[in-house]
Amino acid sequence: MLGTVFLLWIGVFLLFFLWKTRRPKSFPPGPQPLPIFGNLLQLNLKNPMKDFEKLSERYGKVYSFYFGGRPAVVLHGLHAVKEALLTQGIEFGGRPQGFLVNEVIGNKGVILVNYGSAWKEQRRFSLTCLRNFGLGKTSMEEKILEEASHLISHLEKCSGQSMDPKTLFHNAVSNIICAILFGARYNYEDETFQSLIRMVCEITKILNGPWGMIYDTMPFVRRLPLPFQKALKNMRDLEASTLAKVTEHKKTRVPGQPRDFTDCYLDEIDKRGSDDSSFDDEFMVALLLDLFIAGTETSSTTLQAGLLYLMLHQDVQARCHQEIDSVLGGKQQISYDDRHRMPYTQAMIHETQRYASIVPLSVFHATTKDTQLLGYSIPKDTIIIPNLSSVLHEEAQWKFPHEFNPSNFLNEEGELVKPDAFLPFSTGPRVCLGEGLARMELFLFFVLLLRRFEFFWPKDSGEPDLEPHFGIVQGPKPYRLGLRLRGNQGG
């Protein structure tokens, strides 16, 4: 009798699941999900990008996929991504809720907050504030150049040897963000600074790994003492540290004379008073952490990827050296404006962003209302996954889609061109807030590093492994960076 009841309950559960995961009329096609797991077991959790490619080959450029019982729509290729994120940017401008990344980072700030008045206020303010504090101006260049000098000093100590570049690049990029947000930089050996970096790295490692997918797919595991609890604890500690910095600013600031982004935000709170805006201490802490985490991880990972490719493509590195030496000559101070005379070096940087595909699945979107896309009906609040990697490697869009080759960004005259499929920062209303800062950082860092050093693959490092670590932020596996001084170069 007990067995019969048990089997009956299993049957009822299966029927309920099949009913819940039944695709609505005109919904994009996709594989049949399994109870509890959805389509999770059909993916390689270490790196599902090849599986997404195969699903697109079978079901088309727009197909559906289930996280447990939650449907998601995957966009594959330039046409589908631009139609959704750019042409219908508002309809596809929401953010899904209930994932590990939401739980860790929260639903305030600017990256994960849903589309609406609060997001518009925070984004508009952030863009204005970044411009006011030097984005695209000499003052921002000075911050980056100062930090680059500290980075080069540390690298010079390793000349003729090899080293692990990850922590050092994290330190340098994080310090630029700290200078913008809090008006100060840290020594690389500072214990507080290293603690912040370590917590950020642990958070991104967990979000990027299989535990993130398990959390998102199987809600019943969320209260168990599993590794994602470490990410939640680290985020609370980062919030406490950031709030302490805000408290210090409140004690020392002069209203109307902002020294940095934090002061600017506090002035905005004062200006708005008790109105119904989203500006308050809680939103401020969330926004500061958004900028700190996102700005640190993406740019430092791009630097790591670029130097890996340069070590393995000595011909590309030699052409960059030649162009940089020709343009700069004996000039002591590099300028961001110098990029206009360095098409090949710029092409190398763009190609690094394309080939590495640092944020392969973008940040997930969600529909803000019932809508249509390329003949399919997609209900409100559906998860949208823009496969940016598929755009950055689409065969119809690139001369050399599957190899590292700066010629992807050069015309026959050697001039820099940017194909429509170059979307490393996504596109539409949700395009990356820090795109301008990232472009400036990457150009100045790469040029200064290449002016001063030659990079090579260490003989004792074995065969290079270019298979990336998949995640929200995707980067190269750990490697040793060989470097030597270029002698009379480097200012």
Side-chain angles (χ1 to χ4, degrees):
M1 179 67 179
L2 187 60
T4 302
V5 172
F6 180 70
L7 290 173
L8 180 62
W9 273 109
I10 290 178
V12 170
F13 170 76
L14 289 174
L15 288 172
F16 174 76
F17 180 84
L18 290 172
W19 171 80
K20 187 177 180 181
T21 57
R22 180 184 57 183
R23 287 179 170 83
K25 184 179 180 181
S26 299
F27 195 68
Q32 178 62 44
L34 297 173
I36 300 176
F37 300 100
N39 296 118
L40 181 67
L41 299 182
Q42 294 164 269
L43 298 178
N44 178 348
L45 296 188
K46 288 187 177 180
N47 191 338
M49 297 309 296
K50 291 181 181 177
D51 299 318
F52 283 128
E53 182 78 27
K54 291 177 182 177
L55 288 170
S56 176
E57 290 173 359
R58 180 174 180 181
Y59 296 105
K61 300 298 186 182
V62 179
Y63 63 90
S64 57
F65 182 87
Y66 276 80
F67 286 93
R70 298 179 67 185
V73 171
V74 183
L75 311 177
H76 191 96
L78 178 62
H79 180 52
V81 168
K82 289 192 75 171
E83 179 64 27
L85 304 192
L86 187 61
T87 305
Q88 301 184 61
I90 295 176
E91 292 91 335
F92 287 84
R95 293 291 194 215
Q97 307 300 309
F99 285 119
L100 178 59
V101 67
N102 302 109
E103 188 74 19
V104 172
I105 297 179
N107 298 320
K108 292 193 173 183
V110 73
I111 295 177
L112 295 179
V113 68
N114 224 330
Y115 188 88
S117 59
W119 172 79
K120 292 177 183 177
E121 285 182 333
Q122 298 293 324
R123 185 177 175 89
R124 188 183 305 114
F125 165 82
S126 298
L127 287 169
T128 301
C129 193
L130 287 172
R131 281 195 295 268
N132 290 343
F133 280 101
L135 191 56
K137 301 178 183 177
T138 304
S139 55
M140 184 63 73
E141 284 186 38
E142 291 172 352
K143 288 183 174 68
I144 297 172
L145 293 172
E146 177 190 358
E147 196 57 46
S149 69
H150 291 286
L151 174 63
I152 288 172
S153 294
H154 279 73
L155 288 173
E156 286 175 344
K157 299 173 185 176
C158 301
S159 179
Q161 308 171 39
S162 68
M163 46 87 70
D164 181 349
K166 183 173 182 177
T167 300
L168 197 56
F169 288 157
H170 269 98
N171 291 345
V173 175
S174 292
N175 253 336
I176 295 170
I177 300 295
C178 286
I180 296 168
L181 300 182
F182 308 117
R185 71 173 301 276
Y186 293 88
N187 291 324
Y188 292 170
E189 295 78 17
D190 186 281
E191 290 185 8
T192 300
F193 184 51
Q194 288 305 312
S195 176
L196 294 175
I197 299 293
R198 185 170 58 254
M199 286 189 285
V200 169
C201 289
E202 287 175 351
I203 287 172
T204 53
K205 182 178 180 180
I206 293 168
L207 291 177
N208 285 349
W211 287 111
M213 254 187 207
I214 291 170
Y215 182 101
D216 295 341
T217 305
M218 295 180 282
F220 56 86
V221 306
R222 294 181 177 182
R223 300 303 169 209
L224 299 178
L226 295 171
F228 42 70
Q229 300 296 345
K230 178 69 172 177
L232 295 169
K233 179 184 182 303
N234 280 0
M235 196 64 190
R236 303 296 85 82
D237 290 343
L238 284 172
E239 288 172 350
S241 176
T242 304
L243 186 58
K245 293 183 181 300
V246 170
T247 301
E248 290 175 12
H249 273 64
K250 288 181 178 180
K251 294 177 181 177
T252 59
R253 65 187 276 255
V254 177
Q257 299 180 28
R259 301 160 294 182
D260 48 41
F261 191 99
T262 301
D263 277 354
C264 197
Y265 200 105
L266 290 169
D267 282 349
E268 191 70 15
I269 292 176
D270 290 347
K271 184 174 74 174
R272 291 175 180 263
S274 59
D275 66 7
D276 294 328
S277 76
S278 59
F279 288 82
D280 57 32
D281 284 6
E282 189 177 354
F283 231 115
M284 173 171 49
V285 168
L287 178 57
L288 291 170
L289 283 173
D290 272 0
L291 297 172
F292 179 72
I293 294 173
T296 294
E297 194 66 22
T298 52
S299 292
S300 63
T301 302
T302 305
L303 287 169
Q304 293 171 56
L307 291 181
L308 173 61
Y309 303 151
L310 288 171
M311 286 194 299
L312 302 179
H313 296 270
Q314 289 292 318
D315 57 327
V316 174
Q317 185 176 171
R319 283 193 63 179
C320 288
H321 281 148
Q322 183 180 25
E323 183 178 71
I324 290 168
D325 294 345
S326 173
V327 170
L328 296 181
K331 182 180 176 184
Q332 292 296 309
Q333 185 85 326
I334 183 178
S335 166
Y336 188 45
D337 285 340
D338 290 327
R339 72 190 187 280
H340 300 303
R341 296 185 291 155
M342 297 186 189
Y344 189 84
T345 303
Q346 280 210 83
M348 178 276 293
I349 296 170
H350 291 351
E351 179 66 355
T352 294
Q353 294 176 283
R354 184 199 72 84
Y355 190 69
S357 190
I358 298 296
V359 189
L361 299 178
S362 187
V363 180
F364 290 1
H365 287 236
T367 47
T368 57
K369 65 179 191 177
D370 293 349
T371 188
Q372 302 282 321
L373 180 66
L374 301 180
Y376 295 110
S377 297
I378 303 178
K380 180 183 178 182
D381 295 328
T382 299
I383 301 164
I384 304 296
I385 304 176
N387 187 340
L388 296 185
S389 186
S390 72
V391 179
L392 295 171
H393 296 86
E394 190 168 5
E395 292 185 355
Q397 303 296 330
W398 302 97
K399 291 181 283 189
F400 305 98
H402 305 301
E403 63 181 82
F404 178 79
N405 192 328
S407 295
N408 280 309
F409 293 91
L410 296 169
N411 62 19
E412 293 181 359
E413 288 73 39
E415 298 167 333
L416 184 72
V417 293
K418 293 184 183 180
D420 289 342
F422 183 56
L423 301 179
F425 299 101
S426 191
T427 188
R430 288 282 190 170
V431 67
C432 176
L433 179 64
E435 177 178 354
L437 173 61
R439 290 189 187 282
M440 184 183 289
E441 282 180 338
L442 292 175
F443 176 77
L444 294 175
F445 270 120
F446 271 118
V447 170
L448 286 166
L449 289 170
L450 284 165
R451 192 183 194 195
R452 187 63 173 150
F453 300 104
E454 178 186 346
F455 301 98
F456 60 90
W457 184 257
K459 293 181 180 179
D460 58 354
S461 289
E463 290 297 315
D465 184 359
L466 289 178
E467 187 69 23
H469 269 310
F470 171 77
I472 297 174
V473 177
Q474 175 175 266
K477 293 175 181 175
Y479 68 86
R480 303 288 296 181
L481 177 70
L483 68 159
R484 62 176 70 94
L485 290 172
R486 294 188 63 217
N488 62 344
Q489 302 297 327

